[in-house]
Amino acid sequence: MSDSKHNAQPELPGKAQTNPARRAFIAAAGVGVAGLGFTAIAPGLHLMAVGEANAATGIATRKPGEAASRAVRWGLLVDINKCAPGCTKCVEACHTENGVTEKLADPRQASQWIRKVELTDRRNGKKTELPMMCQHCANPPCVDVCPTGASMKRADGIVLVDRHSCIGCRYCMMACPYKARSLVHLPLTEQNPLVPRGQGCVESCTLCVHRIDRGQQPACVEQCPEGAMTFGDLNDPSSEISKRIAATHTTQVRSDLRLDVGVRYQGI
Amino acid sequence: MILTQNARLESGLFYLLAGLGSLVIAIGIGTALYMEHSGHIVTGMNNQTVWGLPHVFAIFLIVAASGVLNVASIGSVFGKKIYKARAPLSGLLALGMLAGGLTVIMLDLGRADRIIVAATHFNPTSVFGWNVILYPGFFAIVGIYLWTLMERRMNEYSHIAGLAAFIWRLLLTTGTGSIFGFLVARQGYGSALLAPLFIILSFAWGLAVFFVVQAAICVWNNRSLQENIFSRMRNLLGIFVAATLFFTAILHLTNAYFAKNVGFESFLLFNSEFSAMFWVGQVLLGSLLPIYLIYSPAGNKRGWITIASLLIIFGAFCQLYVFIIGGQAYPLDIFPGYDVTSSFADGAINHYTPSVPEFFLSIGGIGIAFTVTVVGVRLLRVMPRQEALEKLEEDDSDGAA
């Protein structure tokens, strides 16, 4: 699924514009298939009509320009009993998907949208690992402190940074209890067109919002070889994530802060 | 002939000082352009220590700017005429220092070119957002206040303008302290005490800056500060510094009382690169020694009080460095009860080394404050005349009696 997206990306801004005949053909084809409930926006990439669910994931798609739904609260459940020691597939998947590929001499200046954290219980020395990323709080401190409103929570619970109005003050980084945000410390090139990033702006996990809107799961969830991560609608009692949260003990990290996070952990 | 020579000397000194200040500003702006072009990769700041040396300098300038206005407030709001004679200098310094501090903060932004976005997008829940209103408001109110002081026809409004400026400056420093006071994530911040602490810090730092500038201007003009105003301001400075020690002690004692913060306080005060800076720089040299100098027989000498003021300013930088950098150096306690490691420095002490560009940007702010003051002192009549002061001294003494 992600392969098809990557094949499609270069077509979006560049090649389609340089070949008007091909562009017209694609538009005509789009009109033709729209009646069937599909619109082709590039070879291999389709947007389905509003309200339809992705056949593979069951996640409803969202038409461009359509507002996100308040009825939905996207969330993640991470079963750390399944999270394999030393495995960083989720980190690699995230950074590949979102174009976070720059290498910096000082790793502390590099962006990390998701990281593997190793925990050692001080009482018994038991070691566990888990992926840590933006927890997509219902009451996000980053949104509260942002002077321009660039840090925002979408109606469906995804916490994002508007790259057009972020001024790079880093107040959100000071406010985040999870160290989930990074500043882009250098000029960037060859970005993923679907995931704009830029020097001087703050960024963090978007839950792969561009994939969710297409009815796909976040890249980390899809690429986890152990199936340790479950993505879904926390507001839907019939979703798998809701059922599992109802059936097992799960943890909200820093629950003392009452942030009502969208990412839950099982096994801490 | 001698008068002409003095005037020429004074004029030469002015151009020398203004040129020096402008050079520092140029270095700061050049560095800002370099940072804008290269990104924050050329600074020592990173994703662990996100605010660095520029914030230490900027916050010093902003806090001291509001404090230095107190001299004017004592005159206009509390009716002490001998202070009111110094109100124009106090207002000028406040504007210059705030301009310097704000410039550093703005040029350190990741996207300094988007400053207009900050002015046109307002988030009412953000303390930074409040400050976007409070800082320009301070410029406007202090500007009007200066106008009422220096334009004879407007003098009758100086009391109300001074009162507005006093209230606004209290709000402004509350806003600055609350930048940290409203942070829930980190052990070193998130305290309601930070707003009043910053207010009292501003009193001490602002008065110390005023003392140093006043002493320099007296030397420049070959004049001596009158005993009455000198002893009053000196005693006030001592009280303010003692109060900063008291508030600082309460802040750390309260924090250390909570089990969850014991590790942080132990790190900061006893077990880190910041400990010596706290005890020696902030407490000993920046507070206790100045208090000793102020209240010992040495305090009768102008020179020792200037040294005490310089020590207070040195202590202020130490305090802000410990507070801002130290507060970020200690790892976030995301998983209480666990030892934590990761590729993103979870669980690790963050070591920060300021880079040369950061330092240049930071002193650029000092250059702005310095140049505005030098030019202002030269162009405006901000220092009271000798004979006027003597009369005011008599008036205040009569009033007190």
Side-chain angles (χ1 to χ4, degrees), chain A residues 104 108-112 115-122 130 132 141 143-149 163-171 173-179 181-183 185-187 199-201 253-254 257 268, chain B residues 35-41 43 45-48 50-51 55 108-111 114 117-118 121-123 125-129 178-179 183-186 189 328 332-335 337-346 351:
Chain A
L104 283 82
R108 295 174 305 169
Q109 290 183 321
S111 292
Q112 293 202 25
R115 62 193 190 271
K116 278 295 287 294
V117 176
E118 185 182 302
L119 307 178
T120 305
D121 193 323
R122 288 190 193 122
L130 54 83
M132 194 71 200
V143 173
D144 288 341
V145 302
C146 177
T148 65
R163 310 303 165 83
H164 298 287
S165 53
C166 174
I167 58 174
C169 70
R170 289 104 79 198
Y171 199 14
M173 297 172 72
M174 293 290 283
C176 176
Y178 306 105
K179 211 164 74 165
R181 294 201 154 186
S182 302
L183 177 79
H185 278 73
L186 74 172
Q199 175 197 332
C201 285
V253 178
R254 292 298 311 264
L257 299 176
I268 294 182
Chain B
M35 283 171 59
E36 174 80 5
H37 179 73
S38 311
H40 274 63
I41 194 167
T43 72
M45 291 179 275
N46 51 53
N47 288 323
Q48 322 304 323
V50 300
W51 287 349
H55 300 81
D108 176 71
L109 292 175
R111 292 298 303 261
R114 288 184 179 167
V117 175
H121 292 63
F122 178 65
N123 176 10
T125 63
S126 168
V127 181
F128 262 6
S178 298
I179 289 172
L183 286 178
V184 72
R186 296 170 190 266
Y189 311 133
Q328 297 171 83
L332 289 181
D333 196 11
I334 303 175
F335 299 97
Y338 291 89
D339 288 326
V340 187
T341 58
S342 81
S343 58
F344 208 44
D346 282 280
H351 296 285

Side-chain angles (χ1 to χ4, degrees), chain A residues 1-3 5-6 9 90-101 113 191-195 197 206-212 214 216-220 222-223:
Chain A
M1 207 172 285
S2 61
D3 283 344
K5 184 197 84 58
H6 282 298
Q9 279 169 10
C90 55
V91 178
E92 290 155 20
C94 168
H95 288 169
T96 302
E97 174 70 32
N98 294 295
V100 187
T101 52
W113 288 26
Q191 298 176 46
N192 180 345
L194 292 175
V195 188
R197 304 176 60 219
T206 65
L207 268 184
C208 286
V209 65
H210 58 290
R211 291 172 59 89
I212 293 173
R214 289 200 306 251
Q216 297 174 318
Q217 295 194 340
C220 56
E222 194 174 270
Q223 296 294 320

Side-chain angles (χ1 to χ4, degrees), chain A residues 11-167:
Chain A
E11 306 287 345
L12 288 174
K15 289 183 183 174
Q17 285 177 359
T18 56
N19 190 340
R22 187 160 170 251
R23 188 180 185 186
F25 169 76
I26 292 169
V31 171
V33 296
L36 301 172
F38 291 88
T39 301
I41 59 171
L45 182 63
H46 298 83
L47 281 183
M48 283 178 286
V50 62
E52 293 205 14
N54 184 307
T57 62
I59 299 169
T61 59
R62 196 170 69 88
K63 277 207 306 195
E66 181 198 356
S69 171
R70 286 190 183 282
V72 177
R73 169 97 195 270
W74 295 120
L76 272 180
L77 174 63
V78 183
D79 184 349
I80 68 170
N81 298 313
K82 292 182 180 175
C83 188
C87 173
T88 54
K89 291 282 188 195
C90 55
V91 178
E92 290 155 20
C94 168
H95 288 169
T96 302
E97 174 70 32
N98 294 295
V100 187
T101 52
E102 65 276 9
K103 301 280 181 258
L104 283 82
D106 183 352
R108 295 174 305 169
Q109 290 183 321
S111 292
Q112 293 202 25
W113 288 26
I114 181 173
R115 62 193 190 271
K116 278 295 287 294
V117 176
E118 185 182 302
L119 307 178
T120 305
D121 193 323
R122 288 190 193 122
R123 291 170 302 180
N124 53 26
K126 185 188 170 195
K127 288 186 186 301
T128 45
E129 288 189 19
L130 54 83
M132 194 71 200
M133 72 292 274
C134 172
Q135 301 289 291
H136 297 281
C137 313
N139 307 304
C142 57
V143 173
D144 288 341
V145 302
C146 177
T148 65
S151 275
M152 59 173 180
K153 189 181 67 167
R154 222 170 69 151
D156 53 11
I158 302 175
V159 176
L160 299 169
V161 179
D162 179 348
R163 310 303 165 83
H164 298 287
S165 53
C166 174
I167 58 174

Side-chain angles (χ1 to χ4, degrees), chain B residues 199-217:
Chain B
I199 289 176
I200 197 65
L201 290 176
S202 80
F203 284 10
W205 300 350
L207 195 53
V209 168
F210 192 87
F211 249 113
V212 172
V213 173
Q214 187 174 243
I217 292 175

